[in-house]
Amino acid sequence: MKLLIDDAHIDLIKRIYEFYPVDGVTTNPTILAKGGRNPYEVLKEIRTFIGEGAQLHVQAVSREAAGMVKEAKRIVAELGENTFVKIPSLPEGFKAMKMLREEGIRFTATAVYTPMQAFLAAKCGASYTAPYINRIDNLGYNGVQVAKNIHDIFRNNRLETQVLAASFKNSQQLLELCEYGIGAATVAPEVIEGLVKNQAVTAAVDEFIKDFEGLTGTGKDMSSC
Ligand code: G3P
């Protein structure tokens, strides 16, 4: 499962990259709005930091297909080939997806709440489809189960599209999808950091260090004892 960062704050992205094995960054218009800066200025900063080899996902905001395609061309021209244009999975979006496939521009179908949205997007040639796990849960449905259903539909229909699950609020949601072997998940920095927040782990490591220093002296380690 690829793991991406769902944020546009460069300091947070740098912090996660320093400690964890991540494969890229996803953004959406709300995430970009939080920064209050020009979108391309922020996205180019992210691209420069993560490099051309990492995935960057950037959303189009036009309501009509022609506008989405126009945005997609600029997004890829400005941010490089390894940029996936996020297209909302509604009628004009599907129309845009078919046009993007013709243009050879890779895209991620976003705002996915149901398996059939994902199925249609996959048939339009989406590289990824992004079910919103927590937002689906908040509607009273089971977001993890929806993502699993989508994964199964792709495999059973021999569609190459991958699930890029989004909108996580906790480790358990991510764990279940990781176990299931979905293609990718995009996760906010605080949720990624929450994956390893565990007092038992810290306590175990503290005890090892205390015992070692009791044996060799304060501040000593295996390079200096
Ligand atoms: O970009 C869509 C998804 O990542 C939204 O997440 O946390 O706002 O529900 P969230």
Side-chain angles (χ1 to χ4, degrees):
M1 183 180 80
K2 283 191 166 56
L3 181 63
L4 293 98
I5 304 169
D6 200 21
D7 207 299
H9 191 295
I10 193 69
D11 292 337
L12 292 177
I13 291 169
K14 285 181 177 174
R15 190 168 86 207
I16 298 298
Y17 257 79
E18 182 180 357
F19 293 103
Y20 302 105
V22 283
D23 301 291
V25 172
T26 63
T27 63
N28 64 35
T30 305
I31 285 172
L32 289 172
K34 280 182 194 152
R37 294 167 58 201
N38 176 276
Y40 281 109
E41 190 184 304
V42 173
L43 291 163
K44 282 181 180 177
E45 206 172 75
I46 295 170
R47 170 55 83 201
T48 300
F49 174 70
I50 66 178
E52 288 297 327
Q55 290 188 5
L56 181 59
H57 295 243
V58 178
Q59 192 160 330
V61 295
S62 296
R63 291 201 177 273
E64 291 181 359
M68 293 178 199
V69 172
K70 191 174 170 198
E71 285 182 79
K73 288 180 180 170
R74 166 124 189 246
I75 288 168
V76 173
E78 298 264 8
L79 300 165
E81 288 298 316
N82 206 9
T83 305
F84 295 75
V85 182
K86 292 173 67 179
I87 303 290
S89 303
L90 35 68
E92 286 291 330
F94 295 124
K95 182 176 171 183
M97 290 179 204
K98 292 197 293 173
M99 293 158 78
L100 290 175
R101 176 164 59 182
E102 292 299 312
E103 298 276 352
I105 295 176
R106 291 185 295 176
F107 55 93
T108 295
T110 196
V112 170
Y113 287 77
T114 70
M116 291 317 286
Q117 278 178 290
F119 174 70
L120 293 175
K123 281 182 68 72
C124 289
S127 299
Y128 292 100
T129 61
Y132 288 0
I133 307 306
N134 200 63
R135 294 192 193 196
I136 295 171
D137 284 354
N138 287 343
L139 291 175
Y141 298 94
N142 184 333
V144 165
Q145 190 55 52
V146 169
K148 288 178 177 177
N149 291 346
I150 294 170
H151 179 86
D152 290 345
I153 286 168
F154 292 167
R155 301 293 81 80
N156 293 338
N157 288 277
R158 294 191 170 79
L159 293 162
E160 288 177 8
T161 308
Q162 300 274 337
V163 173
L164 166 59
S167 179
F168 289 92
K169 282 294 166 285
N170 60 60
S171 302
Q172 182 64 27
Q173 294 165 329
L174 191 58
L175 166 67
E176 285 191 45
L177 291 177
C178 189
E179 280 176 345
Y180 208 68
I182 64 153
T186 184
V187 186
E190 65 272 19
V191 178
I192 294 178
E193 291 180 315
L195 299 175
V196 290
K197 258 189 206 152
N198 187 326
Q199 287 186 348
V201 176
T202 317
V205 173
D206 285 348
E207 194 178 341
F208 288 136
I209 293 172
K210 184 163 107 1
D211 290 344
F212 192 84
E213 289 187 336
L215 174 68
T216 60
T218 305
K220 294 289 185 191
D221 57 33
M222 286 300 286
S223 71
S224 59
C225 64

